[in-house]
Amino acid sequence: MINFGYTSNKDRQIVFDENDRSVYQILQSKEPSVDICIQCGTCSSTCTTGQFTQFSLRQIIVNIHRGEMDFINEDIRKCMFCGKCQLVCPRSVNTRNIIQVLITILN
Amino acid sequence: MNVEGKKLIWQDYQKEIADNNYYYVRSCVRQTFFPGSETAFLRILKTELNKDVCDQSIHTSCTGIGYHSDVVPIETTMTVVARQFALMTEAGYKNFVPSCITSFGLYTEVLETWHHFPELEARIRENLRKATGREFEKPDNLAHASDVIFKFRKEIAAKSKYRLINKNTGEPIKVVDHIGCHYSKMFPGKGIGGAEYPYVLAGMIEEWGGEVIDYPERRHCCGFGFRQYLVKQNRGYSLACSRKKFESMEPYEPELILTNCPGCPMFLDRWQYAINEMEGKSYGKNGQGIPVMTYEELAGLMLGYDPWDLGLQVHQVGCESLLDKIGIEYDPDKKYKGLEDKELGKPKTPSNILFV
Amino acid sequence: MTRESQTIAVIGGGPAGLEASAKLTGLGYNVFILEKNTEVGGHLLDWDRLFPDQQNASEVLDAIKAGLNENTQILTGAEVVEISENHRFDIKLAGSPQKITADAILVATGFDVFDARKKEEYGYGIYDHVITSAELETYFKNKKEILKRNGSPVKRIAFIHCVGSRDEKAGVRHCSRVCCVTAVKQAIEVKELYPDVEVYLFYMDLRMFGLGYEELYKEAQEIYNIRFIRGRLSESFENQDGTIMVKVEDTLAGKPMRINVDLMVLMVGILASSGTSEMGSKMGIGINSNGFLKPVNSHFSSQISNRAGVFLAGTCKSPKNIEETLSDARAAAVLIDNYLKAKIT
């Protein structure tokens, strides 16, 4: 093999059909309210952890649905369970339980 | 796939192409990348079709590469373009035919810009006058060289010695077309068939007996893109673009990639080698590459020109497998011989892939 | 002069034209409905059920038509060629010696759906498995099975919002308003028929403006497991197996995304109909930049045109749902009555 001094770039596309989307299915069965999230971002806006880290419940939900599992395991452990997200959610999604269930699944 | 639906779109994107008296402007890079192509174009037009083509040595680069790499300012580019038009005017021609797709895109862009900003055109005329003392008229007709071959595809077919047909099976050769981005993506109305379903090369393939293969990433750029390639650190991006195309076309088992741009055949050809050297992967059948050709080379082959006169020996992916399929005669011993049988030297053989 | 001695020409026999005619004839006026198609009813004729409550379109149409009385004359196949004015309006119809004379005109020429072929990169008319929302509605209406070209079942469907709406490249700036809820309605109908089909809606914004629309949206998520992906279709391709590769940016995940589907449904937008543009220019009525007819004031005189005696109703002015269309038609009837009463006295 020859090293030309450059490589082929990694594809950024979400290859939906090839990704492992099983975590979302388990989450959905244990906390069905995850389905009615409208991705408005109120939770991540009010979230204290989110003010200082990359943590975003909104993005976690969407990424798990697409099977994009990079950093999820790391991210969910940043949550402090204060519950502000649950207070503000316009759809009354059981936000804290989503994180709790995810930690259980990914353990 | 409903071809009738495509034909409806093609009807919307017809363009006027002059039928004689062309002022031909060459590409900066094609004579190095594909040395037989421009010569073949001139030979086809002059000797096969009896057309009048003016081919001068005094014109320059259009500066397209510099312009798209942000090193040449637009006013400089426009003044250079104005000089090319002046040379055409002085030679007594009105139909401007660039060999390069980026030049074609650039000339189109400059003419459109002048159309909307006449004061800018006036300033450029003044620039040119001050710098060179020349005056110019804008071309009556601007067509890319592939438009001209498209226009005469039937005449070329009538004079052809070969067809794009597998002589052993009688099946049409499966061809994917790749259109340079600057042909119609900037100005869809200026390209035959528009931007989404361009017809300029597909029309040649159909007329010469081949089968056009449509594949999902057909519209994707080859990855040349100037900035991607010119900076070595960005080259992985260029390669990734070509790879996306190869992976998408692979299941359709294309036997030829036909192109109309200077950069695309270069990269679609060379990146097959690079990917193979890096990863051992090849996209053609039996560990071979997929041959890549310019439309002039293909037209020349159909007309029975010697493959080595067309410059096919400088391709990275060898074209012999395709020549054999069609039944095109060639002398393997002359592959690396130049004029008067001068030895050109043999390139190094790729380590993995069967590039013959 | 009395109401009974006066005549109103209603151009267009869709919901707006029919409802206004019902109210005007109810007041005692004579009404000519000039419909260029072979049947009155407009787009309601092609629609199966209506959002948000899935009422049958034919029931709604029947209810509107029930209001018409013997003072109504419906002329179908009636194309207006020329309108001249000499105290009253004289209307010439194509291929007919009959001239209609009217004291007022109501323009109710409605909308056309966007021609999806214009979005060339979406492959409508080229790829085998791309249909429009209007076509899907005829599948429902005619109880036609939703199958792949080869007869095999459809496993995954994508609904593409805003095809010919909010798209300057397609020459359409406006939001067609009702397509969002139509997509949700149609997605639910698909799931009712084929519970195992995966349904994805690709949207920019979901505009659930009407009463019950938001509830329908939630129902789609909660009961039907319909998924919403916030990304606008950039281009699509036909794969070797005939499936469609959908390319969007998944804006929420912040990454480009591709997904293969068996069928793509394009939610085509609402444009001023060709008849609307024609009537607008024939009668010198103001036309908005988006092609719809322009009332003298969009707040307090939204049924009155800039030409005395010519009134406007329904979707010739803007995209509307049925409820808004019918209310607008009734308002137009009242204003026509006011106008003619003033002439009587």
Side-chain angles (χ1 to χ4, degrees), chain A residues 88-100:
Chain A
V88 296
C89 177
R91 279 284 175 90
S92 295
V93 173
N94 195 350
T95 52
R96 277 200 302 188
N97 199 38
I98 288 175
I99 298 290
Q100 188 62 60

Side-chain angles (χ1 to χ4, degrees), chain C residues 40-304:
Chain C
V40 291
H43 292 277
L44 271 184
L45 291 168
D46 308 321
W47 232 249
D48 185 42
R49 289 187 285 170
L50 304 178
F51 58 76
D53 59 355
Q54 311 289 31
Q55 183 162 15
N56 280 323
S58 58
E59 287 171 21
V60 174
L61 184 56
D62 289 344
I64 301 170
K65 279 158 90 175
L68 299 169
N69 68 21
E70 67 285 355
N71 293 337
T72 319
Q73 286 195 55
I74 297 175
L75 303 181
T76 54
E79 213 164 319
V80 175
V81 184
E82 201 188 307
I83 296 169
S84 51
E85 197 175 352
N86 183 15
H87 302 295
R88 299 177 84 193
F89 295 98
D90 287 325
I91 303 168
K92 248 196 226 166
L93 300 175
S96 162
Q98 191 186 0
K99 205 157 64 172
I100 309 289
T101 302
D103 300 282
I105 291 178
L106 177 66
V107 180
T109 41
F111 70 93
D112 285 340
V113 293
F114 175 77
D115 177 7
R117 252 179 284 262
K118 285 188 183 163
K119 294 298 291 176
E120 290 169 14
E121 63 274 31
Y122 292 5
Y124 177 71
I126 294 176
Y127 306 148
D128 285 335
H129 297 105
V130 181
I131 62 171
T132 66
S133 46
E135 281 171 274
L136 181 61
E137 206 59 39
T138 64
Y139 279 57
F140 295 144
K141 193 172 169 70
N142 302 321
K143 314 251 177 292
K144 185 175 160 188
E145 272 194 273
I146 301 168
L147 296 170
K148 291 179 73 169
R149 185 62 65 96
N150 63 10
S152 64
V154 166
K155 292 189 183 129
R156 191 187 275 171
I157 299 184
F159 285 83
I160 310 296
H161 285 239
C162 299
V163 178
S165 296
R166 304 173 71 195
D167 183 357
E168 298 210 2
K169 287 279 158 57
V172 187
R173 283 189 179 174
H174 64 267
C175 164
S176 296
R177 297 176 78 232
V178 293
C179 338
C180 278
V181 63
T182 300
V184 172
K185 178 203 83 121
Q186 292 187 334
I188 288 175
E189 288 174 295
V190 165
K191 289 290 273 188
E192 281 174 343
L193 291 167
Y194 309 97
D196 296 332
V197 173
E198 282 180 58
V199 179
Y200 294 89
L201 274 65
F202 293 87
Y203 69 96
M204 293 201 281
D205 290 297
L206 287 172
R207 298 187 164 173
M208 299 295 155
F209 62 94
L211 191 68
Y213 298 5
E214 181 67 16
E215 289 83 344
L216 197 69
Y217 169 25
K218 189 174 173 188
E219 208 177 284
Q221 291 175 294
E222 206 167 21
I223 299 173
Y224 294 98
N225 200 23
I226 291 161
R227 308 306 321 173
F228 294 79
I229 297 178
R230 190 172 182 283
R232 183 165 177 276
L233 182 65
S234 59
E235 50 183 331
S236 66
F237 301 95
E238 189 174 273
N239 292 311
Q240 214 167 10
D241 60 359
T243 56
I244 304 292
M245 184 198 284
V246 172
K247 276 187 163 187
V248 296
E249 191 206 338
D250 188 331
T251 56
L252 301 175
K255 284 182 178 181
M257 171 181 186
R258 72 167 194 249
I259 173 173
N260 293 329
V261 301
D262 296 321
L263 180 70
M264 188 160 87
V265 181
L266 305 177
M267 302 307 301
V268 281
I270 288 181
L271 307 180
S273 71
S274 55
T276 292
S277 322
E278 204 186 318
M279 283 307 115
S281 53
K282 265 200 178 114
M283 286 192 262
I285 301 168
I287 296 177
N288 273 317
S289 59
N290 52 26
F292 291 101
L293 301 183
K294 196 175 171 178
V296 285
N297 186 292
S298 59
H299 297 284
F300 54 79
S301 302
S302 65
Q303 294 78 21
I304 298 173

Side-chain angles (χ1 to χ4, degrees), chain A residues 12-18 21 24 28 35-39 58-59 62-63 65-66 68 91, chain C residues 156 200 214 217-218 221-222 225 227-229 247 250 252-260:
Chain A
R12 285 187 70 245
Q13 208 169 36
I14 298 171
V15 184
F16 192 77
D17 295 334
E18 285 169 29
R21 290 174 284 122
Y24 189 85
Q28 189 184 30
D35 274 348
I36 55 169
C37 170
I38 50 170
Q39 290 287 320
R58 182 187 71 72
Q59 284 206 333
V62 79
N63 280 318
H65 179 262
R66 310 294 193 262
E68 293 283 291
R91 279 284 175 90
Chain C
R156 191 187 275 171
Y200 294 89
E214 181 67 16
Y217 169 25
K218 189 174 173 188
Q221 291 175 294
E222 206 167 21
N225 200 23
R227 308 306 321 173
F228 294 79
I229 297 178
K247 276 187 163 187
D250 188 331
L252 301 175
K255 284 182 178 181
M257 171 181 186
R258 72 167 194 249
I259 173 173
N260 293 329

Side-chain angles (χ1 to χ4, degrees), chain B residues 37-90:
Chain B
S37 291
E38 293 186 343
T39 313
F41 177 79
L42 291 170
R43 182 173 160 193
I44 293 167
L45 255 68
K46 287 178 175 173
T47 63
E48 309 288 344
L49 303 168
N50 293 316
K51 301 293 174 188
D52 169 33
V53 190
C54 180
D55 173 39
Q56 290 182 313
S57 58
I58 49 171
H59 77 74
T60 62
S61 160
C62 71
T63 76
I65 291 183
Y67 170 55
H68 289 290
S69 312
D70 280 353
V71 295
V72 178
I74 182 73
E75 281 210 17
T76 308
T77 288
M78 284 186 170
T79 311
V80 172
V81 166
R83 180 178 173 273
Q84 315 279 63
F85 291 157
L87 298 177
M88 175 197 74
T89 309
E90 287 162 22

